[in-house]
Amino acid sequence: MSICFDHNATTPLHADVFDAMRPWLTERHGNASSLHRAGREARAAVEAARAQVAACVSAHVSQVIFTGGGTEADNMALKGVAAMREPARMLISPIEHPAVTDAAESLARTGWQIDRVAVDGEGRVDAADLERQLAAGDVALVSIMIANNETGVIQDMADISRIVRAAGVWLHTDAVQAPGKLGFDFAAGGAHCASLSSHKIQGPQGVGALIVDKQLDMAPLLHGGGHEQGLRSGSANVAGIVGFGAAANRAMAHGQAEIAHMRDLRDKLETGLDAMPGITRFSANAERLANTCQFAVAGYDGEGLLMLLDREDIAVSSGSACAAGTGQPSPVLLAMGIDPAIAQGAIRVSLGPQNTLEEIQRFLLVLGRLADGGGVAMPGSISASVLG
Amino acid sequence: MPRRRHWRPACSTPCSACWSRRRPIRTPRTRRGAPPQHIDYAAHTLADLINARARDLVWTSGATESINLALKGVAEFAGGEPHIVSVVSEHSATLESLAWQEKRGTRVTRLDIDAHGRMDLDALDAVLADGAALVSVMHVNNETGVIQDIAAIGAICAAHGVALHVDAAQSLGRLPIDVTAMNIALLSVSAHKIGGPKGIGALVVRRRTGLAAQLHGGGQQRGLRSGTLATHQIAGFGAAAAHVTASRDAEQARLGALRDRLWARIARLDGVMRNGAPAQVAPAFLNVSVIGVHGEALRTGLVEGAPGLAVSSGATCSAASGQSSHVLRAMGRTPREAAASIRFSLGLSTDAIQVEQAGARFVAEVERLRSLASAA
């Protein structure tokens, strides 16, 4: 039986979510901008989903702008704020998702200065450095993710937003990993805008949202019919949005129980890992998402180990799925000051609510076997044996 | 409740054609290796439909994103103060993108259309003598169904060495498209106009077309469009493309005959004008202006009455704004005529009985409104 331990990359569509989407994929096919009945029904479904997503993150319904996914939401936040003013400075952390890092780098080509706020060895943003960088002036936007997709490290957003707001600067947070794994309260006054993604919470791929505080002045990324309050044009992906709403609703209803379940499994996994030789766990002393554990096994290359586990029908990730295949050690771990040779060996386990104790036990068994047998193997010879 | 008739496939279509293929692949967990196979299948099917290479497709969240990517991507790649030539009757995704770019240093020329909705090819030729980074034209107009002569436009662009972007959201699956023969550098398409799911589109980017990415991140799709691919959506797009490939010519002939029948029924009324020259309008479309009735009253009467007709006035996207059609006004219709316009767009579910009923409903509603007006 296959085991999926890669829920930070994507999650299976939940059956209840699929049921909610189904009518909107078949007989109910109105365009949500049309004025006739089929259109108005589609519009009502989109608005109901907007309320569900808003409730899930304690936002006001008018603050939810649906997008084509988390990447688009991140791009929209950074470029939308940048478009409203002359180039200035933007602060990001060095452990951001590529959607933030690369969007920021694209702005650097248009005259923006992108500076990184230091993180400590556990991957936590250094508040003193953030204050120093803000004090240097001319910062238009700070973007710091609430929870990291690789290490699972949770930032102290209350402290970060207090510092950023005191400097009179806008704050964006990539909150894609938060719902369903961590309570996220937009209204509590942390960030001015936050990115969400549906397929990380058992919703469909291809839909996300940017939660936007109305006082934030931003330009749209996509121009056209003026959908989504003029901030995101394009015919509404009705089925996708309905699915996102249903998934958000589920996350809200079952989140606490699922988090407790995943935390219990993850802790058992880590107890097992700590008993094995040659295991380095990352961010072990920081507050982390309940479902995430990133570690390296001595003597193994992360991607090689991933392939060996895949042969055993166990799906894990080596760092971010988006950076997979590049062969480079995780920039997140390097930013934390981890030795590149160790970072190269990193794999990530990210659990979902459906995972079981039996799966944890089987994983530990397989890993234990590999760790014993592979302690002296070089990355090259492992790839060769896998590919050969 | 009266049965509703769907007259608006120009704004969206039922997803039945793509359903059977989509269902099995979404339910099981996607194994590594499986999604690309489905994406490849979809890419090849769609590419074959327009004579492109599968590897030239960039998946997007829909035609609006494709158009934004094409217009902004070419301008950014060109740098400096690029010149973009387009047409006044374009979709809002094009017009609004260009208006945005214009404020940021792009020079925009908007060519006029004639009373039939067609652009002047000599004017295009003349304006390109100035040089341009891009020409952007929609193949079939979303309001009137008027077809632009893309092959001729492509030839003019090629003669001037200017890249051509075609908004084919309304023509994919309805008219033959050959990006190679028509000299099209960039082509925007959308799944939900051909019976596929909403929220997925594509931009065809042919070789040697300079384009700067507009969404940055994981570097998916050769860095041209980052973001996790919505696999089930792409599979749905591919299945819809396969369906229209098999059925296009017969279906368009059927819709053309139904459209002509609907017009014959409506034309018995006095003071009804057809918008767009019949020979240059795509088969699924009928756009009429009615003299002597209030446009909003007519639309409301048709949509809210029994049996309700799902029709529109103007583009879906601008429906809520209450403005009369910029396309019809550019064709020389008065604001009042443009406001009193109704668009019928026929699709897979439209049949002869519906056409007869819709024609009768339309005639009755116009006569009712006119008698009210004369009584007042």
Side-chain angles (χ1 to χ4, degrees), chain A residues 212-290:
Chain A
V212 187
D213 183 331
K214 282 294 150 46
Q215 59 174 314
L216 179 63
D217 210 10
M218 70 185 310
L221 207 58
L222 291 185
H223 294 85
H227 308 73
E228 299 291 315
Q229 304 169 50
L231 280 175
R232 203 282 186 180
S233 292
S235 289
N237 174 3
V238 180
I241 288 170
V242 166
F244 188 10
N249 202 38
R250 254 207 94 265
M252 205 167 51
H254 304 284
Q256 289 310 320
E258 289 178 353
I259 289 169
H261 170 68
M262 293 187 293
R263 185 185 303 281
D264 180 48
L265 292 185
R266 199 269 314 265
D267 289 350
K268 291 193 164 84
L269 167 71
E270 293 187 345
T271 305
L273 289 175
D274 289 345
M276 279 183 206
I279 301 273
T280 309
R281 284 205 288 118
F282 302 115
S283 302
N285 302 311
E287 197 191 339
R288 282 173 295 140
L289 292 174

Coordinates of all heavy atoms in Angstrom, one line a residue, chain A residues 212-290:
Chain A
V212 N -7.0 40.7 1.3 CA -6.5 42.0 1.3 C -7.2 43.0 2.2 O -8.4 43.1 2.1 CB -6.6 42.6 -0.2 CG1 -5.9 43.9 -0.3 CG2 -6.0 41.6 -1.2
D213 N -6.5 43.6 3.0 CA -7.0 44.7 3.9 C -7.3 45.9 3.0 O -6.4 46.3 2.2 CB -5.9 45.1 4.9 CG -6.4 46.1 5.9 OD1 -7.2 47.0 5.5 OD2 -5.9 46.1 7.0
K214 N -8.5 46.5 3.1 CA -8.9 47.5 2.2 C -8.0 48.7 2.2 O -7.9 49.5 1.2 CB -10.3 47.9 2.5 CG -11.4 47.0 2.0 CD -11.4 46.9 0.5 CE -11.9 45.6 -0.1 NZ -13.0 45.1 0.6
Q215 N -7.3 49.0 3.3 CA -6.5 50.2 3.3 C -5.2 50.0 2.5 O -4.5 51.0 2.2 CB -6.1 50.5 4.7 CG -5.4 49.4 5.5 CD -4.9 49.9 6.8 OE1 -4.4 50.9 7.0 NE2 -5.1 49.0 7.8
L216 N -4.9 48.8 2.1 CA -3.8 48.6 1.2 C -4.1 49.0 -0.2 O -5.0 48.5 -0.8 CB -3.4 47.1 1.3 CG -2.2 46.6 0.5 CD1 -0.9 47.3 1.0 CD2 -2.0 45.1 0.6
D217 N -3.2 49.8 -0.7 CA -3.4 50.4 -2.1 C -2.7 49.4 -3.0 O -1.4 49.3 -3.0 CB -2.8 51.8 -2.1 CG -3.5 52.6 -3.1 OD1 -4.6 52.2 -3.6 OD2 -3.0 53.7 -3.4
M218 N -3.4 48.7 -3.9 CA -2.7 47.8 -4.8 C -3.3 47.8 -6.2 O -4.5 48.0 -6.3 CB -2.5 46.4 -4.2 CG -3.8 45.6 -4.1 SD -3.5 44.0 -3.3 CE -2.1 43.5 -4.2
A219 N -2.5 47.5 -7.1 CA -2.9 47.4 -8.5 C -3.1 45.9 -8.9 O -2.5 45.0 -8.3 CB -1.8 47.9 -9.5
P220 N -4.1 45.6 -9.8 CA -4.3 44.2 -10.2 C -3.1 43.7 -11.1 O -2.4 44.5 -11.7 CB -5.5 44.3 -11.0 CG -5.6 45.7 -11.5 CD -5.0 46.6 -10.5
L221 N -3.0 42.4 -11.1 CA -2.0 41.8 -11.9 C -2.6 41.4 -13.3 O -2.0 41.5 -14.3 CB -1.6 40.5 -11.2 CG -0.2 39.9 -11.5 CD1 0.9 40.9 -11.1 CD2 -0.1 38.6 -10.6
L222 N -3.9 41.0 -13.2 CA -4.6 40.6 -14.4 C -5.7 41.7 -14.7 O -6.6 41.9 -13.9 CB -5.3 39.3 -14.3 CG -4.3 38.1 -14.2 CD1 -5.1 36.8 -14.1 CD2 -3.4 38.0 -15.4
H223 N -5.7 42.2 -15.9 CA -6.6 43.3 -16.3 C -7.7 42.7 -17.3 O -7.4 41.8 -18.0 CB -5.9 44.4 -17.0 CG -5.0 45.2 -16.1 ND1 -3.7 44.8 -15.9 CD2 -5.2 46.3 -15.4 CE1 -3.2 45.6 -15.0 NE2 -4.1 46.6 -14.7
G224 N -8.9 43.2 -17.2 CA -9.9 42.7 -18.1 C -11.3 43.1 -17.6 O -11.5 44.3 -17.4
G225 N -12.2 42.2 -17.4 CA -13.6 42.6 -17.1 C -13.8 43.2 -15.8 O -14.9 43.5 -15.4
G226 N -12.8 43.3 -14.9 CA -12.9 43.9 -13.7 C -13.6 43.1 -12.6 O -14.2 43.5 -11.7
H227 N -13.4 41.7 -12.7 CA -13.9 40.8 -11.7 C -13.2 41.0 -10.4 O -12.2 41.6 -10.3 CB -13.7 39.4 -12.2 CG -14.2 39.0 -13.6 ND1 -13.6 39.5 -14.7 CD2 -15.3 38.3 -14.0 CE1 -14.3 39.1 -15.7 NE2 -15.3 38.4 -15.3
E228 N -13.7 40.4 -9.3 CA -13.1 40.4 -8.0 C -12.7 41.9 -7.6 O -11.6 42.2 -7.3 CB -11.8 39.5 -8.0 CG -12.1 38.1 -8.3 CD -12.9 37.4 -7.1 OE1 -12.6 37.6 -6.0 OE2 -13.9 36.7 -7.5
Q229 N -13.7 42.7 -7.6 CA -13.6 44.1 -7.3 C -12.5 44.8 -8.1 O -11.9 45.8 -7.6 CB -13.3 44.2 -5.8 CG -14.3 43.5 -4.9 CD -13.8 43.4 -3.4 OE1 -13.3 44.4 -2.9 NE2 -13.9 42.3 -2.9
G230 N -12.3 44.4 -9.3 CA -11.3 45.0 -10.1 C -9.9 44.6 -9.9 O -9.0 45.0 -10.6
L231 N -9.7 43.7 -8.9 CA -8.4 43.3 -8.5 C -7.9 42.1 -9.2 O -6.7 41.8 -9.2 CB -8.3 43.1 -7.0 CG -8.1 44.4 -6.2 CD1 -8.1 44.1 -4.7 CD2 -6.8 45.1 -6.5
R232 N -8.8 41.3 -9.8 CA -8.4 40.1 -10.5 C -9.4 39.7 -11.6 O -10.5 39.1 -11.3 CB -8.3 39.0 -9.5 CG -7.3 37.9 -9.9 CD -7.9 36.9 -10.9 NE -7.1 35.8 -11.2 CZ -7.4 34.8 -12.0 NH1 -8.5 34.8 -12.6 NH2 -6.5 33.8 -12.2
S233 N -9.2 40.2 -12.8 CA -10.1 39.9 -13.9 C -9.9 38.4 -14.4 O -8.9 37.8 -14.2 CB -9.8 40.8 -15.1 OG -10.2 42.1 -14.7
G234 N -11.0 38.0 -15.1 CA -11.0 36.6 -15.6 C -12.3 35.9 -15.1 O -12.6 36.0 -13.9
S235 N -12.9 35.2 -16.0 CA -14.1 34.4 -15.6 C -13.9 33.6 -14.3 O -12.8 32.9 -14.3 CB -14.6 33.5 -16.7 OG -15.1 34.2 -17.8
A236 N -14.8 33.6 -13.4 CA -14.6 32.9 -12.1 C -14.5 31.4 -12.4 O -15.4 30.9 -13.1 CB -15.7 33.2 -11.2
N237 N -13.6 30.7 -11.8 CA -13.5 29.3 -11.9 C -14.4 28.7 -10.8 O -14.1 28.4 -9.7 CB -12.0 28.9 -11.5 CG -11.8 27.4 -11.4 OD1 -12.7 26.6 -11.6 ND2 -10.6 27.0 -11.1
V238 N -15.7 28.7 -11.2 CA -16.8 28.4 -10.3 C -16.6 27.1 -9.5 O -16.6 27.1 -8.2 CB -18.2 28.4 -10.9 CG1 -19.3 28.2 -9.9 CG2 -18.4 29.8 -11.7
A239 N -16.4 26.0 -10.2 CA -16.2 24.8 -9.5 C -15.0 24.8 -8.6 O -15.1 24.3 -7.4 CB -16.1 23.6 -10.5
G240 N -13.9 25.4 -9.1 CA -12.7 25.4 -8.2 C -12.9 26.3 -7.0 O -12.5 25.9 -5.9
I241 N -13.6 27.4 -7.1 CA -13.9 28.3 -6.0 C -14.8 27.6 -5.0 O -14.6 27.7 -3.8 CB -14.4 29.6 -6.5 CG1 -13.3 30.4 -7.2 CG2 -15.0 30.4 -5.4 CD1 -13.7 31.6 -7.9
V242 N -15.8 26.9 -5.5 CA -16.8 26.2 -4.7 C -16.0 25.1 -3.9 O -16.2 24.9 -2.7 CB -17.9 25.6 -5.5 CG1 -18.7 24.5 -4.7 CG2 -18.9 26.6 -6.0
G243 N -15.1 24.4 -4.6 CA -14.2 23.4 -3.9 C -13.3 24.0 -2.8 O -13.2 23.5 -1.7
F244 N -12.8 25.2 -3.1 CA -11.9 25.9 -2.2 C -12.8 26.2 -0.9 O -12.3 26.0 0.2 CB -11.4 27.1 -2.8 CG -10.3 27.9 -2.0 CD1 -9.7 27.3 -0.9 CD2 -9.9 29.1 -2.4 CE1 -8.8 28.0 -0.2 CE2 -8.9 29.8 -1.7 CZ -8.4 29.3 -0.6
G245 N -14.0 26.7 -1.1 CA -14.9 27.1 0.0 C -15.2 25.8 0.8 O -15.1 25.9 2.1
A246 N -15.5 24.8 0.2 CA -15.8 23.5 0.9 C -14.6 23.0 1.7 O -14.8 22.6 2.8 CB -16.3 22.5 -0.1
A247 N -13.4 23.1 1.1 CA -12.2 22.7 1.8 C -11.9 23.6 3.0 O -11.5 23.1 4.0 CB -11.0 22.7 0.8
A248 N -12.1 24.9 2.8 CA -11.9 25.8 3.9 C -12.9 25.5 5.0 O -12.5 25.6 6.2 CB -12.1 27.3 3.4
N249 N -14.1 25.2 4.7 CA -15.1 24.9 5.6 C -14.8 23.7 6.4 O -14.9 23.6 7.7 CB -16.5 24.7 4.9 CG -17.6 24.9 5.8 OD1 -17.6 25.8 6.7 ND2 -18.7 24.0 5.7
R250 N -14.3 22.7 5.7 CA -13.8 21.4 6.3 C -12.7 21.7 7.3 O -12.6 21.2 8.4 CB -13.3 20.5 5.2 CG -14.2 19.3 4.8 CD -13.3 18.2 4.3 NE -13.0 17.2 5.4 CZ -11.9 17.2 6.1 NH1 -11.0 18.1 5.9 NH2 -11.7 16.3 7.0
A251 N -11.7 22.5 6.8 CA -10.5 22.7 7.6 C -10.9 23.4 8.9 O -10.4 23.1 10.0 CB -9.5 23.6 6.8
M252 N -11.9 24.3 8.8 CA -12.4 25.0 10.0 C -13.1 24.0 11.0 O -12.9 24.1 12.2 CB -13.3 26.1 9.6 CG -13.4 27.2 10.6 SD -14.2 28.7 9.9 CE -15.7 28.0 9.3
A253 N -13.9 23.1 10.4 CA -14.7 22.2 11.3 C -13.8 21.1 11.9 O -14.0 20.8 13.0 CB -15.8 21.6 10.4
H254 N -12.9 20.6 11.1 CA -12.1 19.5 11.6 C -10.6 19.8 11.9 O -9.9 18.9 12.3 CB -12.1 18.4 10.5 CG -13.5 17.9 10.1 ND1 -14.3 17.2 10.9 CD2 -14.3 18.2 9.0 CE1 -15.5 17.0 10.4 NE2 -15.5 17.6 9.2
G255 N -10.3 21.1 11.7 CA -8.9 21.4 11.8 C -8.2 21.0 13.2 O -7.2 20.4 13.2
Q256 N -8.9 21.4 14.3 CA -8.3 21.1 15.6 C -8.0 19.6 15.8 O -6.9 19.2 16.3 CB -9.1 21.7 16.7 CG -9.1 23.2 16.8 CD -7.7 23.8 16.7 OE1 -6.8 23.3 17.4 NE2 -7.6 24.9 16.0
A257 N -9.0 18.8 15.5 CA -8.8 17.4 15.7 C -7.7 16.8 14.8 O -6.9 16.0 15.2 CB -10.2 16.7 15.4
E258 N -7.7 17.3 13.5 CA -6.7 16.8 12.6 C -5.3 17.3 12.9 O -4.4 16.5 12.8 CB -7.1 17.3 11.1 CG -8.3 16.6 10.6 CD -8.8 17.0 9.2 OE1 -8.2 18.0 8.7 OE2 -9.7 16.4 8.7
I259 N -5.2 18.5 13.4 CA -3.9 19.0 13.9 C -3.4 18.1 15.0 O -2.2 17.7 15.1 CB -4.0 20.4 14.3 CG1 -4.2 21.3 13.0 CG2 -2.7 20.9 15.1 CD1 -4.5 22.8 13.3
A260 N -4.3 17.8 16.0 CA -3.9 17.0 17.1 C -3.4 15.6 16.7 O -2.4 15.0 17.1 CB -5.0 16.8 18.1
H261 N -4.2 15.0 15.7 CA -3.8 13.7 15.2 C -2.4 13.7 14.5 O -1.6 12.9 14.7 CB -4.9 13.3 14.2 CG -4.6 12.1 13.4 ND1 -4.5 10.8 13.9 CD2 -4.3 11.9 12.0 CE1 -4.2 9.9 13.0 NE2 -4.1 10.6 11.8
M262 N -2.2 14.7 13.6 CA -1.0 14.8 12.9 C 0.2 15.1 13.8 O 1.3 14.5 13.6 CB -1.1 15.9 11.8 CG -2.1 15.6 10.7 SD -2.0 16.8 9.3 CE -2.7 18.3 10.1
R263 N -0.1 15.9 14.9 CA 1.0 16.2 15.8 C 1.4 14.9 16.6 O 2.6 14.7 16.8 CB 0.6 17.3 16.8 CG 1.7 17.7 17.8 CD 1.2 18.7 18.8 NE 0.6 19.9 18.3 CZ 1.3 20.9 17.8 NH1 2.6 20.9 17.8 NH2 0.7 22.0 17.3
D264 N 0.4 14.1 16.9 CA 0.7 12.9 17.6 C 1.6 12.0 16.8 O 2.6 11.4 17.2 CB -0.6 12.2 18.0 CG -0.4 10.9 18.7 OD1 0.3 10.9 19.7 OD2 -1.1 9.9 18.3
L265 N 1.2 11.8 15.5 CA 2.0 11.0 14.6 C 3.4 11.5 14.3 O 4.3 10.8 14.3 CB 1.2 10.8 13.2 CG -0.1 10.1 13.2 CD1 -0.6 10.0 11.7 CD2 0.0 8.7 13.8
R266 N 3.4 12.8 14.1 CA 4.7 13.5 13.9 C 5.7 13.3 15.1 O 6.9 13.0 14.9 CB 4.5 14.9 13.5 CG 5.6 15.6 12.8 CD 6.7 16.3 13.8 NE 6.1 17.1 14.8 CZ 5.8 18.4 14.8 NH1 6.2 19.1 13.7 NH2 5.3 19.0 15.8
D267 N 5.1 13.4 16.3 CA 6.0 13.3 17.5 C 6.5 11.8 17.6 O 7.6 11.6 18.0 CB 5.2 13.7 18.7 CG 5.0 15.2 18.8 OD1 5.6 15.9 18.0 OD2 4.1 15.6 19.6
K268 N 5.6 10.9 17.2 CA 6.0 9.5 17.3 C 7.1 9.2 16.2 O 8.1 8.5 16.5 CB 4.8 8.6 17.0 CG 3.9 8.6 18.2 CD 2.9 7.4 18.1 CE 2.2 7.2 19.5 NZ 1.0 8.1 19.7
L269 N 6.9 9.8 15.1 CA 7.9 9.7 14.0 C 9.3 10.3 14.5 O 10.3 9.6 14.3 CB 7.5 10.5 12.8 CG 8.5 10.7 11.7 CD1 8.9 9.4 11.0 CD2 8.1 11.8 10.7
E270 N 9.2 11.4 15.2 CA 10.5 12.0 15.6 C 11.1 11.3 16.7 O 12.4 11.2 16.8 CB 10.2 13.5 16.0 CG 9.8 14.3 14.7 CD 9.7 15.8 14.9 OE1 9.7 16.2 16.1 OE2 9.7 16.5 13.9
T271 N 10.3 10.7 17.6 CA 10.9 9.8 18.6 C 11.7 8.7 18.0 O 12.8 8.3 18.4 CB 9.8 9.3 19.5 OG1 9.0 10.4 20.0 CG2 10.3 8.5 20.7
G272 N 11.0 8.1 16.9 CA 11.7 7.0 16.2 C 13.0 7.5 15.5 O 14.0 6.8 15.6
L273 N 12.9 8.6 14.9 CA 14.1 9.2 14.2 C 15.2 9.4 15.1 O 16.4 9.1 14.8 CB 13.7 10.5 13.5 CG 12.8 10.4 12.2 CD1 12.5 11.8 11.7 CD2 13.5 9.6 11.1
D274 N 14.9 10.0 16.3 CA 15.9 10.3 17.3 C 16.6 9.1 17.8 O 17.8 9.2 18.3 CB 15.3 11.1 18.4 CG 14.9 12.5 18.0 OD1 15.3 12.9 16.9 OD2 14.1 13.2 18.7
A275 N 16.0 7.9 17.7 CA 16.6 6.7 18.2 C 17.6 6.1 17.1 O 18.2 5.1 17.3 CB 15.6 5.7 18.6
M276 N 17.5 6.7 15.9 CA 18.4 6.1 14.8 C 19.7 6.8 14.7 O 19.8 8.0 15.0 CB 17.7 6.3 13.4 CG 16.6 5.3 13.1 SD 15.9 5.7 11.5 CE 14.3 5.0 11.7
P277 N 20.7 6.1 14.3 CA 22.0 6.8 14.1 C 22.0 7.7 12.8 O 21.3 7.4 11.9 CB 23.0 5.7 14.0 CG 22.2 4.5 13.4 CD 20.8 4.7 13.9
G278 N 22.8 8.7 12.9 CA 23.1 9.5 11.7 C 21.9 10.4 11.1 O 21.9 10.7 10.0
I279 N 21.0 10.7 12.0 CA 19.8 11.5 11.6 C 20.0 12.9 12.1 O 20.3 13.1 13.3 CB 18.5 11.0 12.2 CG1 18.2 9.5 11.7 CG2 17.3 11.9 11.8 CD1 17.6 9.4 10.3
T280 N 19.9 13.9 11.3 CA 19.9 15.3 11.7 C 18.6 15.9 11.4 O 18.1 15.9 10.3 CB 20.9 16.1 10.8 OG1 22.2 15.4 10.8 CG2 21.1 17.5 11.4
R281 N 17.9 16.3 12.5 CA 16.6 16.9 12.3 C 16.8 18.4 12.3 O 17.5 19.0 13.0 CB 15.6 16.6 13.4 CG 15.1 15.1 13.3 CD 13.7 15.0 14.0 NE 13.8 15.0 15.5 CZ 13.3 15.9 16.3 NH1 12.6 16.9 15.7 NH2 13.4 15.8 17.6
F282 N 16.0 19.1 11.3 CA 16.2 20.5 11.2 C 15.1 21.3 11.9 O 13.9 20.8 12.0 CB 16.2 20.9 9.7 CG 17.2 20.2 8.9 CD1 16.9 19.3 7.9 CD2 18.6 20.5 9.2 CE1 17.9 18.7 7.2 CE2 19.6 19.8 8.5 CZ 19.2 18.9 7.5
S283 N 15.4 22.5 12.4 CA 14.5 23.3 13.1 C 13.8 22.6 14.3 O 12.7 22.8 14.7 CB 13.4 23.8 12.2 OG 14.0 24.6 11.1
A284 N 14.6 21.6 14.9 CA 14.0 20.8 15.9 C 13.5 21.6 17.2 O 12.7 21.1 17.9 CB 15.0 19.7 16.3
N285 N 14.2 22.7 17.4 CA 13.9 23.5 18.6 C 12.9 24.6 18.4 O 12.7 25.4 19.3 CB 15.1 24.0 19.2 CG 16.1 22.8 19.5 OD1 15.7 21.8 20.1 ND2 17.3 22.9 19.1
A286 N 12.4 24.8 17.1 CA 11.5 25.9 16.9 C 10.0 25.4 16.9 O 9.8 24.2 16.7 CB 11.8 26.5 15.5
E287 N 9.1 26.3 17.0 CA 7.7 26.0 16.9 C 7.5 25.7 15.4 O 7.8 26.5 14.5 CB 6.9 27.1 17.3 CG 5.4 26.8 17.6 CD 4.5 28.0 17.8 OE1 5.1 29.1 18.1 OE2 3.3 27.8 17.7
R288 N 6.9 24.5 15.1 CA 6.7 24.1 13.8 C 5.2 23.6 13.5 O 4.5 23.3 14.5 CB 7.6 22.9 13.4 CG 9.0 23.3 13.2 CD 9.9 22.1 13.0 NE 10.0 21.3 14.3 CZ 9.9 20.0 14.3 NH1 9.9 19.2 13.2 NH2 10.0 19.4 15.5
L289 N 4.9 23.6 12.2 CA 3.6 23.0 11.9 C 3.5 21.6 12.4 O 4.5 20.9 12.4 CB 3.5 23.0 10.3 CG 3.4 24.3 9.6 CD1 3.4 24.1 8.1 CD2 2.1 25.0 10.0
A290 N 2.3 21.2 12.8 CA 2.2 19.9 13.5 C 2.4 18.7 12.6 O 2.6 17.6 13.0 CB 0.7 19.8 14.0

